[in-house]
Amino acid sequence: MKSCQTASIVTADASAQVRNHADAQVQTEALEPVGVQPPSRCDIPRLAAFLRRVEAMVIQELNKNWQSHAFDGFEVNWTEQQQMVSCLHTLGYPPAQARGLHVTGISWNSTGSVVACAYGRVDHGDWSMLKSFVCAWNLDRRGLSPQQPSAVVEVPSAVLCLAFHPTQPSHVAGGLYSGEVLVWDLSRPEDPLLWRTGLTDDTHTDPVSQVVWLPEPGHSHRFQVLSVATDGKVLLWQGIGTGQLQLTEGFALVTQQLPRSTKLKKHPRGETEVGATAVAFSSFDPRLFILGTEGGFPLKCSLAAGEAALTRMPSSVPLRAPAQFTFSPHGGPIYSVSCSPFHRNLFLSAGTDGHVHLYSMLQAPPLTSLQLSLKYLFAVRWSPVRPLVFAAASGEGDVQLFDLQKSSQKPTVSIKQTQDESPVYCLEFNSQQTQLLAAGDAQGTVKVWQLSTEFTEQGPREAEDLDRLAAEVAT
Amino acid sequence: MAEVEETLKRIQSHKGVIGTMVVNAEGIPIRTTLDNSTTVQYAGLLHQLTMKARSTVRDIDPQNDLTFLRIRSKKHEIMVAPGTLAFHFLVKSSFCFTR
């Protein structure tokens, strides 16, 4: 018989106590709007004398300035120049990748330090009832593990689109294959679900194509969620206390009510709804938005539209017809639209015909049409800092960066995201850290690309070049 | 009064000028063609910079004084004519006539 015993365990006691302590409270203050200061009345003769004295010199300086060539071609670089585009992070969630899920949506949060992705399948079939995930990585955290997201939310149905809240860094909204819209708080790992639409009469009957956060009219610090789906409905939801997303406004797209500004293919009998596949709001008019449709034609719409929609779809709030103008169609369904942050009339659309169209809201045919891919184009986004730059995600696995200043025919940089040419489904620029671009692909990987400096710094007079481009290409 | 307005209008309508403002010795704007929040922001910031520039010039040579200040940035140029009052004006970038 054998017996064993551990050596005696040594223990010691010590106690510690804080001798001095201090209390402090910290709270942020809501930003006060800048006070309006009326220009004070000073004595006019002194002002007149001053102006008399300086006027000649001022005019002389202005003339010299206008004629001077001293600074022609002079450029100052304040930051180190990055010449190449490089991949900073390759992120993925292995359980989602093992199930063959694609990255269907990507979003940066309001501080620009967290990137979240939605997993689902773009080709539906039997995958619709499969559990999927929403994952978020905090890129500023030390010890970032690319295969271990800082937050993971399990979702009972495939998530097809994602959008972070514009001011709350941890709130994110997602649209599901089942037609539901959910809002999560990623800072609460035990119970992240904040609000859901549930499956009511108001909910979408088709998969949700895109969700967007909008400021509430009148309360600029509170936000609502807008969702669009291929059932033709555009719905505005408000989160109420019980965890329910309640419908506040709704719109329905019906073929008979589309403005006849351009000839459209005849819809087969019986199909009156127009499926919406993408939405983008204008940065200049908060009620104006562009919808991309399954029919391939973008629609200019307004939240203020008043005409009732001729639809028999049940709804707790009256549905209105939002479309005001129809643009010339692509050769296939549109997958993505993006409004320029620098020009009030320009927007881009991209779809299954592999073309990107640049439209002006003032005319139906596009200003230019560029073929970027022989397969589908899944996403197109304007750069938030360079007025003439946009990025597109292609079905051949490339992220293509276009600089209209350099070339209006071919992309300036084409980044190969996937090695086996599987498609890139979504991409988003980071508006806080403008050198970052995140893209998600069919292999379930999110790659964060660092762009070269030429894509992140606005050159002199670029905004004027954009205006000139819009004016000269329009007939 | 009319003379003041005319002079200001002459300068404001000069080629390339985006906005003008007149600021008193305490940094409070007296006349401006820009909107209020922009005016307040520019007046506060430029007043400090003008005082600093003037003290720099006088520290180097006490007999000298600042006559004009120009700040050139990527998008435009700010010109300051100092004095007991100070005159700021904003000019559109003017290099590169031809491409």
Side-chain angles (χ1 to χ4, degrees):
Chain A
M1 222 166 57
K2 285 198 177 182
S3 64
C4 60
Q5 179 173 324
T6 57
S8 56
I9 300 167
V10 177
T11 60
D13 267 322
S15 56
Q17 175 161 331
V18 170
R19 273 202 291 184
N20 303 321
H21 43 241
D23 267 323
Q25 286 185 348
V26 174
Q27 179 168 325
T28 55
E29 274 179 6
L31 285 171
E32 298 276 330
V34 177
V36 170
Q37 207 179 41
S40 50
R41 300 260 146 235
C42 83
D43 76 279
I44 304 293
R46 246 182 85 212
L47 178 58
F50 169 71
L51 285 177
R52 237 176 290 140
R53 182 163 47 86
V54 294
E55 186 194 354
M57 169 175 56
V58 159
I59 299 282
Q60 190 186 37
E61 288 296 330
L62 281 172
N63 284 329
K64 267 204 292 193
N65 197 25
W66 196 250
Q67 290 156 4
S68 152
H69 289 273
F71 287 98
D72 281 5
F74 176 66
E75 273 179 34
V76 176
N77 293 318
W78 283 95
T79 55
E80 241 182 66
Q81 299 291 301
Q82 257 268 338
Q83 293 303 326
M84 305 279 288
V85 175
S86 56
C87 183
L88 270 188
H89 305 282
T90 304
L91 310 166
Y93 187 51
Q97 289 168 316
R99 292 217 187 105
L101 293 177
H102 305 158
V103 176
T104 50
I106 233 180
S107 183
W108 291 95
N109 78 341
S110 56
T111 61
S113 51
V114 177
V115 59
C117 75
Y119 278 102
R121 289 284 295 207
V122 173
D123 47 349
H124 301 299
D126 294 332
W127 301 90
S128 54
M129 285 301 116
L130 203 63
K131 208 165 51 163
S132 69
F133 306 93
V134 169
C135 303
W137 287 265
N138 188 335
L139 300 178
D140 288 345
R141 209 178 268 180
R142 252 180 303 175
L144 165 73
S145 169
Q147 307 300 316
Q148 258 183 316
S150 34
V152 178
V153 177
E154 277 187 15
V155 187
S157 166
V159 186
L160 296 178
C161 50
L162 204 66
F164 259 109
H165 194 282
T167 52
Q168 290 276 7
S170 58
H171 290 192
V172 60
L176 268 52
Y177 183 84
S178 55
E180 283 190 78
V181 174
L182 270 54
V183 178
W184 298 280
D185 182 351
L186 297 178
S187 60
R188 302 193 320 194
E190 339 76 40
D191 179 23
L193 187 61
L194 270 183
W195 292 299
R196 63 187 309 164
T197 54
L199 289 167
T200 64
D201 275 346
D202 289 334
T203 323
H204 288 289
T205 50
D206 272 5
V208 179
S209 325
Q210 200 167 342
V211 285
V212 169
W213 289 90
L214 289 183
E216 251 180 77
H219 302 96
S220 58
H221 55 277
R222 288 218 301 256
F223 290 85
Q224 298 176 302
V225 181
L226 181 112
S227 61
V228 304
T230 45
D231 59 359
K233 288 201 280 194
V234 174
L235 302 175
L236 210 53
W237 306 92
Q238 175 70 51
I240 55 178
T242 57
Q244 172 77 17
L245 274 178
Q246 198 176 55
L247 186 63
T248 54
E249 280 179 54
F251 302 88
L253 292 172
V254 176
T255 324
Q256 293 96 301
Q257 288 178 301
L258 292 180
R260 292 259 164 264
S261 17
T262 180
K263 274 183 74 157
L264 299 171
K265 282 197 283 242
K266 261 184 124 59
H267 269 242
R269 212 173 274 278
E271 262 187 47
T272 51
E273 281 91 35
V274 178
T277 51
V279 64
F281 272 79
S282 163
S283 335
F284 293 85
D285 182 353
R287 292 165 317 167
L288 184 66
F289 59 100
I290 302 289
L291 278 179
T293 60
E294 278 180 324
F297 44 90
L299 291 170
K300 181 167 86 154
C301 306
S302 170
L303 290 176
E307 190 192 341
L310 302 169
T311 173
R312 265 177 267 137
M313 286 188 278
S315 171
S316 59
V317 303
L319 295 175
R320 292 174 276 155
Q324 296 178 331
F325 192 81
T326 313
F327 297 92
S328 301
H330 280 251
I334 294 180
Y335 274 154
S336 179
V337 287
S338 179
C339 287
S340 170
F342 293 96
H343 196 288
R344 68 183 318 120
N345 288 335
L346 295 179
F347 69 91
L348 291 167
S349 66
T352 59
D353 61 351
H355 282 76
V356 164
H357 286 192
L358 174 67
Y359 287 93
S360 161
M361 293 198 204
L362 305 173
Q363 64 177 58
L367 296 181
T368 65
S369 166
L370 302 158
Q371 172 153 34
L372 294 188
S373 171
L374 295 168
K375 295 193 185 172
Y376 299 174
L377 284 176
F378 289 97
V380 68
R381 289 281 179 267
W382 284 103
S383 161
V385 283
R386 291 226 26 224
L388 292 163
V389 169
F390 64 87
S394 80
E396 286 137 349
D398 299 322
V399 172
Q400 299 193 2
L401 285 162
F402 237 85
D403 186 344
L404 293 170
Q405 198 175 48
K406 291 240 176 80
S407 158
S408 52
Q409 297 307 320
K410 61 181 184 64
T412 315
V413 175
S414 184
I415 309 170
K416 204 160 184 50
Q417 166 128 345
T418 54
Q419 296 312 313
D420 60 354
E421 295 205 352
S422 47
V424 179
Y425 286 128
C426 47
L427 55 76
E428 287 291 344
F429 282 96
N430 185 336
S431 25
Q432 310 299 109
Q433 298 186 49
T434 53
Q435 76 279 19
L436 298 181
L437 170 66
D441 58 39
Q443 292 177 337
T445 320
V446 171
K447 291 205 177 169
V448 178
W449 299 97
Q450 181 170 46
L451 303 175
S452 46
T453 328
E454 55 173 343
F455 287 110
T456 55
E457 286 181 1
Q458 212 180 94
R461 321 185 82 192
E462 240 191 88
E464 286 100 48
D465 286 342
L466 184 67
D467 286 338
R468 206 180 330 132
L469 173 74
E472 78 188 27
V473 184
T475 43
Chain B
M1 181 66 179
E3 187 197 343
V4 164
E5 304 304 330
E6 261 180 43
T7 315
L8 285 172
K9 207 162 26 159
R10 258 203 301 276
I11 296 181
Q12 171 67 26
S13 53
H14 199 276
K15 196 158 58 155
V17 176
I18 299 175
T20 60
M21 71 176 94
V22 183
V23 170
N24 73 358
E26 281 92 45
I28 301 174
I30 305 169
R31 287 281 190 284
T32 176
T33 61
L34 300 165
D35 61 279
N36 270 315
S37 52
T38 317
T39 305
V40 167
Q41 189 179 30
Y42 271 103
L45 293 169
L46 289 174
H47 182 66
Q48 295 175 39
L49 188 61
T50 315
M51 291 299 114
K52 187 68 178 172
R54 184 167 186 244
S55 70
T56 307
V57 169
R58 296 189 62 148
D59 280 353
I60 294 174
D61 178 359
Q63 309 297 322
N64 206 353
D65 206 344
L66 181 71
T67 54
F68 208 81
L69 181 64
R70 291 166 68 159
I71 303 162
R72 196 173 192 96
S73 71
K74 266 199 237 184
K75 295 187 188 170
H76 31 237
E77 180 157 350
I78 303 172
M79 300 171 131
V80 180
T84 47
L85 296 169
F87 197 179
H88 311 155
F89 42 110
L90 212 59
V91 177
K92 225 175 164 100
S93 61
S94 62
F95 42 82
C96 283
F97 279 94
T98 56
R99 287 214 147 243

